[in-house]
Amino acid sequence: MILKSRKGGSLIIWGIILTLLASLITFNKQQLFISIKDGLQYIMTLEPGFSSPRNLSDTGTGEFTELSIQGKLFHLVKAIPTIVKYKLLSTPESPQLERLDLDIKFVDLKTLMADRERAIKAGLLSDPTTVKADVRFRGQTYKAKIRLKGDRSGHWLSRYRVSFRVNIRKKKNILGFNKFSLQKPKNRAHPYDQTFQDLMRQAGNLSSVHKYVRVFVNGSDWGVMNMEEHVNKFFLEKLQRKESSIIRFKDERVWLYRMNSRDPYPGYRLSDPILNIRLYGSSKYLGQDIYRKWLTYISEQRMKSDHPHLYDVGSFSRAIMLARAWGEHHTLGYANSRFYLDPYTIRLEPITTDQLSYKILEGGPEQSSGEKLDLHYLQVMSTDAFKNDLHENIADVNQAVLGIQDILDKYNRFFPLDKPKNGQVVIDNMRKVMADPEKYLLNTGTLSRPKLEDHPLPSDEQAREFDVHLYVRHYEDGKLQLYNLLPDTVQVKQVLLNGEPVVDGVVSVPGYVKGTYIPVTLDTGQMGVHDGQFTVVTEYRGNIREVKNGATLLVNGMLNPLLAETPRKVKYLKEVGKGYWEIPEGKWFVDGPLTVAGHLKIMAGARLQFSEDAYLIVKGNLTAQAPRDNPIVLEPAEVSWKGIYVLEGRGKSELRNVIFRMTSGLQDGLLVLTGGVTFYKTDVDFEDVRFEGTLAEDALNLVKSSFTIKNLEVVNAVSDGIDFDFSRGTVTASKFSDIGGDSLDFSGSTVDISKVTARRVKDKVVSVGEASFVNVTNSDFSDVGVGIASKDGSHAKVENVSISDYGLHAAMTYIKKDFYDTPVLELMRCDIGKGNAFSRQKGTRMRVDDAEVEEVLTNVKALYQSGVMKK
């Protein structure tokens, strides 16, 4: 064995000794606690080989009790010989971690530490200050904004290794993260949270992503820290979701109130998750009408007693099931979950974070350290869909759980002195859940919906401590809704808009009663958007308070087309069996939106003419097959129509000899699609299908679907031909002509293309992006902007393809989004016309007949601002 000395062995011993001395000579109780924490965290800066004192003894039996300070010190002292051996003799090696430097100016660091002192006094971090910093990584320096992070003291009590939220500017990234947290591994219950969230993603859900780096702050070594990605559009894209609203229910104000109050009043509804909805990136997104519509819709639906249609049953079910197998619901709580609105279904999906260690599962659904499931999970568990899909979702979660040991071992390697964890506890728990789902998943009798309980009225002392009395919503028609957070009447003294009175007289707002809010509505006459501009001055027991409104909510446009039922009295729509519908042969006029729930079959010879605001939604599968001499035609009655949307079909949809004309894209109320024809999570086969005169952004959009396409033709499209998002399939013998954008555009998809012809394409014939894998063979492209481009972690192979009369390049590789890996493009035996054929941006790969193409400097931003690629 080769022995290799490591720095820090004696320093660790002295750190432990100094920590013990600090506990003996410090008399102030809080200062004693902070001094011990400082000592423990100083030891961790020396990279002693373990993640926390807990993990020196916890073997993952599911029965571990959190250590006291004395217990942590005991295990540290006991581990001294092992630590010394690790540092001096270089026994097990941890994975090679990369170094990340934070450079913070003195005045800014002083500001951050002032926030820390304020948090220590309050017992909770609130409204932390954001400052500038430089982040150095892999020889590059990135401009960033940082702040303290973490509500509770474990993140910032010690002056060593405090938690930071880091936002890299100009859309740059580090290890694929644009916005992330740096925190002690213990703050994310290493390795438990990381393992749970990995399993959650393997089961098909959204969850936080973790990595590890060695952190230096102004040159000072802080040791190994956890790097957790923050939710944003980059996070969503990498997990194959379209950019949309990310929201959170509840906020931290109630924690601060409880920490500071001498006698917290249990009936105070501050931070009520039914009322409070926070939109991430609100300053960016609320300028877009659709985001404000979504926010309004969620806000309104949450006030209803029953609203299970707001939640995606599958993803919520899988989260419940894995939490049950974990024996711990902590990650499901409002404080630890965010929610993503799927724009294709108008339903929320959970984004789980911050799970604790697993426990042996014994009781029914009520077991979880005294916690109860929150309202949205109870709503989901009450649905028929939860019960109907129970076994399918259990199977998905079980398949993920079976791989738990490999994940635990992966994370354990970062800290060789941590006791290995045994994932058998979770596997055994999962078996219990599968064997008796009635007990562990369906018996919700003890988990009745939480209600606003009856409480005695607050004392005068408690009344003086209330921060605000009301929750206020403003609507674009000028109305204010006032919700009383107390069970007693509150007086409104004034309503101000930007400091100017807009409502005269005193208004009484009754307290909540019998589990129900009774809002008072005031008409201010101030219409339009006034985010945070109203101030409502209130009085309760002689105590004057002020509260502002949040984002202005909308009044109109909140239609959810996906909730529409199948019409029973439409002459051209016939029910031929339960859940089976037909449109017969003939010419039919569709004078408005049409929704069909189930399987729709359009018969040969049917000619559907749609009014301008009409569209067809099929919540299931679509069959439209006809012979060549009697095709199915879907077209506008006059200029255009909104198109077709087929979603979440259980079987396979089939289209043959169908013509789509002049679709403009399905946009109605809350549903905004880019495709003239869109298939979402629906397997589909196309043969002899033609798209003419598409006005939508995409003639055809396939999302999370498997498909085959044969003899498909797109002609005269103002933008893209086919957009493939996170889909898999084949395209053969198809034609594209007079395309105003890309003919074939790929994001996160795997597709084989052969025998495709393209003529008069303004932009790219084949655009391969966002980690797609595409093979193109035996095809012919002429009179195009670009033949084929591979970008952003994609891999494209092109063989026996002719590319001629190209306006910019025949083939390109470039990086548009730097959080992806290197894009690759390989061309073999291709016939390339004359001109500047190849453009390989520095840092990408392109080979032509096994020869590397020379790198060139490429201004990607400029490419998209002018010329053939301008959008």
Side-chain angles (χ1 to χ4, degrees), residues 563-823:
L563 298 182
E565 299 293 332
T566 308
R568 298 281 174 175
K569 296 181 180 180
V570 176
K571 61 182 180 180
Y572 55 80
L573 183 65
K574 298 180 179 180
E575 187 173 16
V576 295
K578 187 176 181 180
Y580 286 82
W581 304 82
E582 280 186 3
I583 296 178
E585 182 179 10
K587 185 176 181 180
W588 308 106
F589 176 61
V590 184
D591 61 355
L594 174 63
T595 297
V596 176
H599 188 118
L600 174 64
K601 185 175 183 179
I602 304 177
M603 306 302 291
R607 190 182 192 97
L608 301 179
Q609 294 187 329
F610 294 81
S611 64
E612 190 171 11
D613 64 344
Y615 52 80
L616 171 62
I617 293 177
V618 180
K619 297 187 288 187
N621 290 102
L622 172 65
T623 298
Q625 296 179 303
R628 288 177 180 267
D629 60 353
N630 195 23
I632 296 167
V633 180
L634 297 97
E635 62 186 1
E638 295 181 351
V639 178
S640 66
W641 63 293
K642 292 188 174 182
I644 287 183
Y645 181 32
V646 183
L647 69 156
E648 297 180 327
R650 291 297 181 118
K652 178 177 284 189
S653 291
E654 296 179 284
L655 284 78
R656 187 171 69 247
N657 287 309
V658 181
I659 300 172
F660 296 97
R661 293 189 175 124
M662 305 300 292
T663 54
S664 60
L666 205 171
Q667 299 188 13
D668 189 20
L670 301 169
L671 187 63
V672 177
L673 303 178
T674 61
V677 176
T678 302
F679 283 78
Y680 177 73
K681 289 187 177 180
T682 302
D683 295 345
V684 57
D685 293 339
F686 298 89
E687 185 174 358
D688 295 314
V689 176
R690 180 178 172 90
F691 297 83
E692 299 177 0
T694 300
L695 303 174
E697 185 175 332
D698 311 306
L700 172 64
N701 188 196
L702 299 174
V703 187
K704 292 190 174 182
S705 301
S706 295
F707 62 89
T708 63
I709 293 175
K710 183 179 180 181
N711 292 329
L712 180 144
E713 189 170 4
V714 181
V715 296
N716 294 317
V718 299
S719 186
D720 292 349
I722 309 179
D723 195 351
F724 304 85
D725 294 319
F726 320 118
S727 294
R728 178 183 294 268
T730 61
V731 179
T732 60
S734 296
K735 300 178 181 179
F736 300 84
S737 59
D738 300 292
I739 307 297
D742 301 327
S743 292
L744 300 157
D745 189 6
F746 301 91
S747 298
S749 296
T750 301
V751 181
D752 290 325
I753 302 169
S754 64
K755 299 179 181 178
V756 165
T757 61
R759 299 288 184 269
R760 297 176 299 282
V761 177
K762 177 181 179 293
D763 199 344
K764 300 175 286 293
V765 177
V766 180
S767 178
V768 189
E770 291 81 38
S772 292
F773 292 83
V774 173
N775 296 318
V776 186
T777 59
N778 303 316
S779 297
D780 183 13
F781 310 152
S782 179
D783 192 6
V784 302
V786 176
I788 183 165
S790 180
K791 59 185 185 295
D792 301 336
S794 295
H795 195 141
K797 295 183 68 174
V798 183
E799 186 173 359
N800 195 28
V801 172
S802 172
I803 307 175
S804 60
D805 297 323
Y806 47 85
L808 186 60
H809 302 288
M812 300 180 68
T813 54
Y814 57 91
I815 299 170
K816 188 177 179 183
K817 302 170 183 177
D818 67 353
F819 51 83
Y820 286 104
D821 292 333
T822 301

Side-chain angles (χ1 to χ4, degrees), residues 469-470 482 489-495 501-510 520-523 536-544:
H469 301 136
L470 304 179
L482 311 177
T489 300
V490 166
Q491 303 297 324
V492 173
K493 311 294 286 186
Q494 276 187 306
V495 177
V502 292
V503 175
D504 296 326
V506 175
V507 178
S508 295
V509 183
V520 168
T521 301
L522 301 180
D523 190 350
V536 179
V537 182
T538 60
E539 180 181 11
Y540 180 65
R541 304 264 187 96
N543 302 289
I544 304 296

